[in-house]
Amino acid sequence: MVTITLYVISGVFFAFECGAAMERKGYDPTAWYVLGFIFGVWTRIVIFFIKDNTEEVDKAEIKRIVQADQVRVMKSNIELGRVWACPLCRKVNDAKIYTCSCGTRKPHKVVSQKVTKPIVETWICKNCGAENSGHVYICKCGMKKSQNDECSTQ
């Protein structure tokens, strides 16, 4: 009776130990709880030789990605007019500040080239006179674009 009690107590101990160890290594611990309970110390020895499932992270690569993201956000903020960069000292100032700490005044906003919308071909329905986009092939009144073209050539 004492032997069974010790086996159950050690089984419970190794079940939680093995499950927790595999969870720290990044694996699903469910099966390892059962294996730890049944095989005890042998399961723990096997776990010792299993590699971590967590990815090796290159800290320099993460730093580079974060810096690139910060530059992208800063450019976006400058384009939107939330901040401005001093042309003399390159310090980034809030849009509400009109003089940089170096003494340079905020430059007037440079008007950027406006993005023009592409010109979309249109056609006018001969039946109702409505103007339709080039990608619309049937007018609201029901006349097809091809029938409209036939009417204009005759």
Side-chain angles (χ1 to χ4, degrees):
M1 185 68 172
V2 174
T3 309
I4 293 172
T5 306
L6 287 175
Y7 181 75
V8 170
I9 292 172
S10 68
V12 170
F13 171 76
F14 280 109
F16 283 106
E17 173 59 29
C18 293
M22 288 308 285
E23 195 168 7
R24 283 191 303 268
K25 289 188 176 229
Y27 292 94
D28 182 24
T30 309
W32 292 96
Y33 286 120
V34 176
L35 291 171
F37 182 81
I38 295 170
F39 298 112
V41 71
W42 298 110
T43 306
R44 188 62 181 106
I45 291 170
V46 169
I47 290 173
F48 180 75
F49 294 104
I50 295 176
K51 283 184 157 185
D52 288 355
N53 194 22
T54 56
E55 293 181 21
E56 295 290 327
V57 180
D58 184 15
K59 293 187 181 192
E61 181 68 14
I62 290 175
K63 187 176 181 181
R64 187 192 62 77
I65 291 170
V66 167
Q67 286 175 342
D69 192 44
Q70 288 172 342
V71 168
R72 182 188 57 79
V73 168
M74 186 57 64
K75 285 181 180 178
S76 172
N77 285 340
I78 290 172
E79 288 172 2
L80 293 173
R82 294 180 184 147
V83 296
W84 61 278
C86 176
L88 184 64
C89 68
R90 310 304 295 162
K91 179 183 175 193
V92 177
N93 299 296
D94 190 54
K96 297 173 186 169
I97 298 173
Y98 294 101
T99 305
C100 182
S101 59
C102 70
T104 307
R105 293 193 47 81
K106 178 179 177 180
H108 294 291
K109 188 172 184 178
V110 178
V111 179
S112 61
Q113 296 177 352
K114 292 185 178 180
V115 178
T116 58
K117 293 182 179 178
I119 299 171
V120 179
E121 180 184 321
T122 60
W123 60 279
I124 298 175
C125 178
K126 301 285 184 192
N127 192 25
C128 67
E131 185 177 2
N132 298 298
S133 294
H135 67 279
V136 175
Y137 294 102
I138 299 175
C139 183
K140 295 174 190 171
C141 69
M143 180 171 241
K144 295 180 181 175
K145 183 178 178 182
S146 58
Q147 291 174 342
N148 194 56
D149 294 337
E150 290 171 5
C151 290
S152 62
T153 56
Q154 292 176 353

